[in-house]
Amino acid sequence: MSYAISVNGQVHHVEDDGQTPLLWVLRDTLKLTGTKYGCGVAQCGACTVHVDGTPTRSCTLPLEVAASARITTIESIEGVEAQAIRGAWVARDVPQCGFCQSGQIMSAVALLRTLKTPTDRDIDVAMSGNICRCATYNRIRAAIHDAAAQLGTAR
Amino acid sequence: MTPILQPQSRVLSRRSFLVTTGGLGIAVAFGSVPDLASGAAMAPAAEGDFRPNAWITIGVDGTVSIISPAVEMGQGITTTLPLLVAEELDADWSRVRVVQAPSDAETYGNPGFYGIQLTGGSESTRGYNALLRMTGAQTRLILLAGAAGMLNVPVSELETEPHRVLHPSSGRSLDYGEIAARAVLPDPLPQATEADLKQSHRWRYIGSRTIQRIDVPSKVNGTAVFGIDVQLPDMLYGAVLRAPVQDERPETIDDAEARDVPGITHIVPLSYGVGIVGETVEATRRAKDLLNVTWSTTSRVRNYSSQRLLDEYRAVGRDLGQQGVPAHTKGDAEAAIAGATTVIEADYMSDHVAHATMEPMNATALVTGDRVEIWAPTQGPTGTQGFAAEVVGTTPDKVKVNTTLLGGGFGRKAEADFIIDAVSLAKAVEGRPVKVIWSREDDVRHDKFRPLEAQHVKVGLDAEGNIVGWRHRIVADSIFARTLPPVFEEAGGHDDVVTEGAKFNYTVPAHQIEYLRQDNGLAIGFWFAVGVGYTRFAIECVVDEIAAARGIDPVALRLELLKDQPRARKVIETVARMAEWDRARDGRGLGVAYSDAFGSHCAQVAEVSLNRDTGAIRVHKVWCAIDPGVAIQPLHIEAMMMTGITNGTGHALFEQINVIDGEVQESNFDTYRVIRMSEAPEIEVAVVPTPGSPFGGIGQAGLPPTGPAIANAVARLTGGVRLRHYPFTPERVKAALDI
């Protein structure tokens, strides 16, 4: 079947089975490989994208559902929160192997858009769905606080 | 120093620089300049570029490209090794680009690791540092010689600052790019000796806290290319249905339904499973689920049940009549223990653990006649060449490996099973590349787990409490018997990696380490810190048991046992100070542990609490002091310690694979529990190098002390309740509390 899907502000016409997870449409049809496959069952968060602004696991989201929404991926996430998060990630050398970091960043940006100054507890709740096998958790936490502080100062 | 300047022999002619080795399409490259477009460094050498040796290319614009011979899997090595070259070359780091080495063991193999390209064992810095520093130093001499000719002055009047040769007396200077473009080089080229290496007080980059990882910028915007991200023209996708029990084979294959899935192009029977090739990942997965296969039932792995075997292993460890292969013998430990006043005897065990790298196993291969090209997140390009050649019936030199970034490795990506999948399917569809991606379920079920193991430790103390003899028996299957049979045979049936870490630097008059191999068929493999991850668990817990028996402080006992080891004492004293070891915490316990594995000294203190009703342990904080000898990148060493400590916590508390009748029970992150952010301890790291000491390994050094520090903290919190079986599941903790 053919679906019109809005990704990163652009509408793409995609021929695929409606049950195909959005993840594989992004990666293999649209060649947006920044969004990663990690588990396929919404357990690890590596495939996190924004669906109408909400962090969502694309590995379990069928194309036919995604087609009615605005999708944003790591390649095009923009705005002050995204900028602050990316900057903090680089400043603290957060990534190691880096495979999970697209998902971590998508979750972190969504958190800062909802909560301007998240507590450690807020960060735990928002980020514990994102596994990092290099265990960069402590730097992720610090970088989120950095980004929040920077946004607070900017305001 | 050994003759390490191999590259010289293939250098010399100024224009012999053709960079034909780069694997231009996919091989990763990163810029150390943050705004450098990803992949830009892979541009082929332009006419006029200067390639003084196999490692360094200097462009006419002065851009210095340096080969990273080791692969990047999060351990930061593609920054570390080129940084050593840049240091001695006196290059400006902001004008350096890093290029991943092609598969060419003769040129880029690790001199300290059998001369092959295999990144693992925390061996990269230890094995390559001398060669790379000398290569940088020699290249600097070549630039100086070239500049001397251009300026018409003796070399002795020249010096360098980053990226420039200076002639102080005339005030003239030349950029490295100008020299590369115009110099006429002397023949023969100058040779560097150890005297040409910088003294440590002149280091600009080594030890700097401002050098960042070169691969980070590409990892925050989705542009980093991992193996799973490889995209090639005309590429197909592959999936493999594997037997539920290792070593079984497909007997009948009903692929009628699988063939009907739109997009499926090939069904490929394999000796160990059934391959599917198709136009999309999703098609191959659907088809794989629709295969109807009956499997042979002859594998002896069907008898493999991990909890039953572990009981057997423990019994073997305790049965001192069963002799093991000696791994280390000093004095007569048994006789010494027989005459001891006090004997401490304990069993320590651990279940299998899985790697579960965030990037599941995958590889892409293209077979054209007798030639193979591979794009893969592999730790072992050399092994990859060999296995691929075997599949296709060609020779390893006809196999080209483009190593991508690795989304985690931990030893799993030193294996070749995922490479064999891709090459087997690519061979079946010759002429089109095939990318095979394992599902997470396959990744967990068909992992090569860390060995299931039991250890029996028996220590004798004299009337004053001094250790008189230490016996350590390690009962497990072998990794080397499968992966490096000649090494295993040559060692007389000893497995150096399975017993790794059992040999320690504590002073004991008699020490005997034995290995009792248990061959039960299930393939086991290298994991984060491999043997050290469990041998130090046993050793460090027993040291605390000795301290408790003697009624002395565990930190004091370690310092006493390490009287002649200043670096060891330094990290233990440092970490005790950081943790305020002597300050009691309400409801929380502190435990200490130490390791000298991988050429680095690492001591940790863990602060834990315990819910006695549920048996749940919470690790609140871990302090760590690490002496890596030379601290090349202190910031990154801190990061690697956090990796080791947090995973050390996770594997001590949660990670557990159960095999029943040969079938792995866990399959994804819902059943194989790894540590998450809310469970990660707070961590404080002190990097305390010792000037003048050798370069130590860092990748794995942080993990071994964490588990025993936690167990020791629980024992001190509970008045002596010992946890002796990884992982410390709530059930096991409650059972230990109830004794």
Side-chain angles (χ1 to χ4, degrees), chain A residues 17 20 27-28 31 33 36-39 41 43 86 90-91 93 96-97 99 128 133-135 137-139, chain B residues 74 212-213 219-220 226 228-229 237 281 354-355 358 439-440 639 643 647 655 668 675-678 681:
Chain A
D17 188 303
T20 299
R27 288 181 53 82
D28 293 329
K31 310 294 183 204
T33 54
K36 304 302 187 198
Y37 167 71
C39 71
V41 292
Q43 285 287 320
R86 276 209 182 96
V90 170
D93 261 3
Q96 284 180 230
C97 94
F99 194 79
S128 280
R133 200 69 166 128
C134 302
Y137 299 128
N138 298 45
R139 287 199 306 289
Chain B
Q212 293 198 279
R213 297 261 313 269
K219 290 174 174 177
V220 300
F226 297 87
I228 202 171
D229 301 326
Y237 296 88
V281 169
H355 299 81
M358 290 311 297
S439 68
R440 174 60 66 191
T643 300
N647 274 319
E655 294 191 39
N668 207 319
I675 195 162
R676 292 175 183 268
M677 181 174 246
S678 56

Side-chain angles (χ1 to χ4, degrees), chain B residues 127-446:
Chain B
Y128 281 110
N129 79 79
L131 168 63
L132 294 184
R133 291 164 67 217
M134 199 63 90
T135 300
Q138 192 217 358
T139 307
R140 179 174 166 274
L141 293 185
I142 292 171
L143 291 169
L144 282 167
M150 289 168 74
L151 298 173
N152 201 21
V153 296
V155 171
S156 59
E157 292 181 9
L158 298 174
E159 54 191 57
T160 57
E161 67 175 27
H163 242 77
R164 291 195 88 75
V165 174
L166 313 177
H167 184 241
S169 60
S170 69
R172 291 178 297 166
S173 71
L174 290 166
D175 186 83
Y176 282 3
E178 294 174 87
I179 303 168
R182 297 197 284 118
V184 176
L185 296 177
D187 187 15
L189 288 174
Q191 301 298 303
T193 68
E194 216 163 331
D196 294 302
L197 296 176
K198 281 185 187 174
Q199 299 286 301
S200 59
H201 69 271
R202 298 192 54 215
W203 286 338
R204 299 178 198 274
Y205 303 132
I206 296 175
S208 163
R209 294 186 69 87
T210 60
I211 301 288
Q212 293 198 279
R213 297 261 313 269
I214 59 159
D215 48 336
V216 163
S218 71
K219 290 174 174 177
V220 300
N221 61 17
T223 59
V225 177
F226 297 87
I228 202 171
D229 301 326
V230 167
Q231 301 276 354
L232 296 169
D234 219 19
M235 187 174 77
L236 291 165
Y237 296 88
V240 174
L241 178 70
R242 311 184 102 77
V245 174
Q246 182 197 309
D247 298 339
E248 299 294 10
R249 313 162 78 83
E251 284 188 335
T252 65
I253 302 169
D254 171 6
D255 60 9
E257 285 182 77
R259 272 185 191 284
D260 282 347
V261 173
I264 293 304
T265 59
H266 301 74
I267 309 274
V268 186
L270 301 165
S271 64
Y272 56 89
V274 182
I276 306 262
V277 181
E279 301 287 349
T280 66
V281 169
E282 188 61 10
T284 61
R285 295 191 163 193
R286 277 182 202 150
K288 180 180 161 216
D289 288 344
L290 292 170
L291 283 170
N292 216 331
V293 178
T294 58
W295 302 94
S296 62
T297 55
T298 54
S299 169
R300 69 189 179 109
V301 177
R302 287 190 182 274
N303 299 319
Y304 198 104
S305 290
S306 49
Q307 292 307 322
R308 177 179 55 74
L309 283 172
L310 194 54
D311 288 341
E312 291 180 21
Y313 290 9
R314 180 171 51 185
V316 169
R318 284 176 174 174
D319 177 6
L320 300 180
Q322 283 198 47
Q323 275 231 301
V325 178
H328 173 69
T329 308
K330 176 187 175 190
D332 187 342
E334 189 52 39
I337 295 167
T341 311
T342 310
V343 175
I344 290 167
E345 214 168 348
D347 303 306
Y348 283 83
M349 297 179 286
S350 57
D351 295 331
H352 286 299
V353 287
H355 299 81
T357 57
M358 290 311 297
E359 177 191 30
M361 298 307 107
N362 71 87
T364 305
L366 170 65
V367 175
T368 320
D370 66 348
R371 304 221 159 239
V372 185
E373 186 160 4
I374 294 168
W375 297 260
T378 175
Q379 289 177 243
T382 305
T384 294
Q385 287 177 293
F387 282 104
E390 215 171 290
V391 171
V392 174
T394 186
T395 48
D397 59 298
K398 295 206 169 62
V399 179
K400 180 179 169 188
V401 180
N402 305 284
T403 305
T404 64
L405 290 170
L406 282 69
F410 311 119
R412 179 61 178 91
K413 288 173 181 165
E415 301 284 346
D417 43 6
F418 55 104
I419 304 286
I420 291 169
D421 282 0
V423 177
S424 300
L425 299 192
K427 185 183 165 198
V429 303
E430 205 182 323
R432 288 183 75 178
V434 179
K435 174 158 72 177
V436 171
I437 303 172
W438 288 28
S439 68
R440 174 60 66 191
E441 288 78 7
D442 284 345
D443 183 273
V444 171
R445 286 188 193 125
H446 302 283

Side-chain angles (χ1 to χ4, degrees), chain A residues 3-108:
Chain A
Y3 294 88
I5 174 171
S6 164
V7 179
N8 298 334
Q10 235 185 314
V11 176
H12 301 265
H13 295 276
V14 174
E15 280 290 334
D16 210 329
D17 188 303
Q19 285 303 307
T20 299
L22 173 64
L23 171 67
W24 299 111
V25 175
L26 293 174
R27 288 181 53 82
D28 293 329
T29 308
L30 306 182
K31 310 294 183 204
L32 295 169
T33 54
T35 304
K36 304 302 187 198
Y37 167 71
C39 71
V41 292
Q43 285 287 320
C44 81
C47 67
T48 305
V49 298
H50 289 187
V51 175
D52 289 331
T54 304
T56 304
R57 312 300 184 220
S58 65
C59 71
T60 51
L61 186 70
L63 171 61
E64 62 189 14
V65 178
S68 59
R70 281 178 303 108
I71 313 295
T72 308
T73 70
I74 184 70
E75 286 87 353
S76 291
I77 182 86
E78 282 166 13
V80 289
E81 294 87 359
Q83 231 176 342
I85 286 287
R86 276 209 182 96
W89 247 242
V90 170
R92 281 195 182 264
D93 261 3
V94 167
Q96 284 180 230
C97 94
F99 194 79
C100 72
Q101 295 295 341
S102 298
Q104 303 280 2
I105 288 169
M106 297 306 280
S107 292

Side-chain angles (χ1 to χ4, degrees), chain B residues 16-50:
Chain B
S16 70
F17 54 73
L18 278 184
V19 183
T20 53
T21 47
L24 300 181
I26 295 296
V28 284
F30 338 87
S32 56
V33 189
D35 60 354
L36 188 71
S38 175
M42 284 314 300
E47 178 62 27
D49 281 0
F50 174 48

